[in-house]
Amino acid sequence: MKKIVPLLLTLLLSIVVFAQDSAKAKALLDEVYNKVQSYDNIEVEFKYALENKEANINQETRGDVTLQGDKYLFNYLGSQQLYDGKKVYTIVPENEEVTIEDRTEDENTITPSKMLTFYKSGHNYAWDILQNVQGRKIQYVKLTPIDTNSEIASILLGIDAQTKHIYKLIETGKNGTKTTITVNSFKTNQPLSKTLFTFDEARYENDGYYIIRN
């Protein structure tokens, strides 16, 4: 009995601390979400790294995305993807090919249009480490998918404590693959062309591109 009481107290204290940490993590993420939603548009330049030691995979590249509401223009691996609010256009200059398809929503997929807001639902939250990155305080929050069938084991979201902008995302898959996205530049409310999210099909046809409709 004497041993059980301290163990129960330790357990209860752990539950209380976990609940407090979870609430603190959610509060920070709510701040980030509200900040993102307050901008008319966002331009992000990022570094993307993919690593799987067992499969001997180690890749690194860069990209950028411009977001305005649900619309986006995404440049990555020499290709461009545009979402105009209705259709997704994937443009591959190397193949002189454009694929046009309806937008599909997969809750477990982080698409360009929700890369800054995906954490709002579907996860459990936990307060994690605080890092100093070149004078910036980066607070990490650990996200664990509620869906036990998810291929994602966990996500670490690094948030600039001062600006409340996302600085880094580290996704660990159940297969051992680690994906890291580091934000190099985060600009808001930039002057954008009125036609930035408009796909000019005639232009690509005139340039000899093959148009695929799915």
Side-chain angles (χ1 to χ4, degrees):
M1 184 69 177
K2 289 181 180 179
K3 291 183 178 180
I4 293 174
V5 173
L7 287 172
L8 287 174
L9 288 173
T10 301
L11 177 60
L12 289 170
L13 182 61
S14 298
I15 291 171
V16 170
V17 170
F18 176 79
Q20 289 175 339
D21 281 355
S22 178
K24 189 163 60 171
K26 187 179 185 307
L28 177 58
L29 291 177
D30 284 342
E31 280 190 83
V32 175
Y33 180 82
N34 291 333
K35 197 81 178 282
V36 167
Q37 295 297 100
S38 71
Y39 298 128
D40 179 60
N41 61 68
I42 299 172
E43 291 183 354
V44 176
E45 294 179 7
F46 60 89
K47 181 175 72 174
Y48 174 92
L50 181 69
E51 180 184 15
N52 187 312
K53 292 181 180 179
E54 286 189 10
N56 198 28
I57 296 173
N58 196 341
Q59 301 173 349
E60 189 174 297
T61 187
R62 295 179 183 271
D64 63 80
V65 60
T66 301
L67 304 156
Q68 186 172 52
D70 283 338
K71 298 177 182 179
Y72 64 79
L73 181 63
F74 181 47
N75 295 295
Y76 176 68
L77 290 176
S79 299
Q80 187 176 79
Q81 192 173 86
L82 168 71
Y83 177 59
D84 62 5
K86 296 179 181 179
K87 298 281 187 180
V88 177
Y89 306 86
T90 303
I91 303 153
V92 186
E94 184 179 355
N95 300 336
E96 294 189 339
E97 186 177 276
V98 176
T99 302
I100 304 174
E101 55 194 334
D102 291 326
R103 180 183 180 182
T104 56
E105 283 293 346
D106 183 348
E107 291 184 358
N108 295 319
T109 302
I110 303 175
T111 60
S113 57
K114 61 181 183 179
M115 66 181 294
L116 298 176
T117 58
F118 73 92
Y119 50 81
K120 187 65 177 173
S121 61
H123 301 87
N124 293 315
Y125 311 113
W127 200 252
D128 212 273
I129 64 170
L130 177 68
Q131 282 187 342
N132 190 310
V133 180
Q134 297 179 340
R136 298 167 65 189
K137 291 183 178 179
I138 306 298
Q139 176 63 56
Y140 281 87
V141 172
K142 186 175 183 179
L143 286 71
T144 306
I146 294 173
D147 181 6
T148 56
N149 293 320
S150 172
E151 295 180 0
I152 300 170
S154 66
I155 296 173
L156 278 173
L157 204 59
I159 297 158
D160 188 309
Q162 181 178 357
T163 64
K164 299 300 186 293
H165 292 163
I166 295 173
Y167 166 70
K168 183 172 285 190
L169 180 151
I170 305 170
E171 178 187 289
T172 303
K174 290 179 179 177
N175 64 354
T177 299
K178 185 166 83 170
T179 304
T180 303
I181 296 174
T182 305
V183 174
N184 295 324
S185 172
F186 191 106
K187 297 178 182 178
T188 61
N189 299 336
Q190 299 296 297
L192 302 180
S193 166
K194 292 181 179 179
T195 60
L196 183 65
F197 303 107
T198 302
F199 178 70
D200 187 352
E201 185 171 340
R203 170 197 157 192
Y204 287 96
E205 286 180 338
N206 291 336
D207 286 345
Y209 274 65
Y210 182 59
I211 309 294
I212 303 169
R213 300 179 189 276
N214 290 338

